[in-house]
Amino acid sequence: MKLLDGKAVSRELLKKVKADIDHYIEKKHLGYNLSRPSIAIVMVGHNAASESYVRGKIKACERAEINHKIIRFDESISTFDLISEIKILNKSHFDGFIVQLPLPDHIDPKPIINEISAYKDIDGFHPLNFGKMALGQKAMRPATAYGILKLLEYYDITTKSQHVVVIGRSNIVGKPISIMLGNDFEIGRSTVTSCDINTPKALLKEEAQKADIVIVAVGQAGFLTADMIKEGAVVIDVGINRLKSGKLVGDCDFEEVSKKAGFITPVPGGVGPMTIAGLILNTFEAWKMKHLIEN
Ligand code: GUN
């Protein structure tokens, strides 16, 4: 079994983004003195998990030398007022911004996400970016799915003609990773089976046991057990669950699954840092788009 070290790969990608930004700034693209990318992170209320994720995002911005600002709103803000703030951010100097999820229960995230300018949507959640991604067009891509693809690419794990089982159908992870791996890209061209917690357990097991790559994103500690995978499978664990003991674990029974898997992501240190790398790569894309820098 080999660990897929998301923490190390993310650091390498951030270093590369920093160097690429330095390069364009030194080159004075189109004769301009470019300023470094800058992003905003909108937080509503105080959610312990979000506070921790955002600390990771800030650390990544620091590594890539991306300017960043946290904009906080009270838990009680109305949908109307939050949308007004987003309209302001759309017109601001920020190259990109995110609204950290989850939002308080009284705010439906859909109209909030829809209001974010697609050009500044560094989470890749806006329907325009999601649609472009699904059509295989250049777009800012949902950051976790993008990060997973980068991790597979880094370790030279082929996806072409591979059978991938994705467990979980969320808009931010399961759905986009299923679409991206089914697309006709270099990283893609897989045969994808999309399941979730409503898939009958026997059917889920039958499918997962045939899979070359299993991606699990259901938010339930111990959901994926060793009897559900085949020997040598690649296991990507997207879950982050805090046990009563305070320990952070993913969605798979790591101790047993890791004995059987060919590759596996640890939790923490696997997909989490790669999600942040995806966000930083999208930030770089948004900045390049704003300054008419072609790839
Ligand atoms: N909450 C959990 N993951 C994410 C993410 O990738 N982006 C945002 N905005 N909120 C999240």
Side-chain angles (χ1 to χ4, degrees), residues 41-42 50 53 57 98-102 113 123 125 142-144 172-173 275-276 279:
I41 299 173
V42 173
S50 293
Y53 300 152
K57 291 174 186 183
I98 65 167
V99 176
Q100 187 64 28
L101 303 175
I113 290 168
D123 255 332
F125 291 170
T144 301
I172 68 174
V173 186
T275 295
I276 297 179
L279 178 75

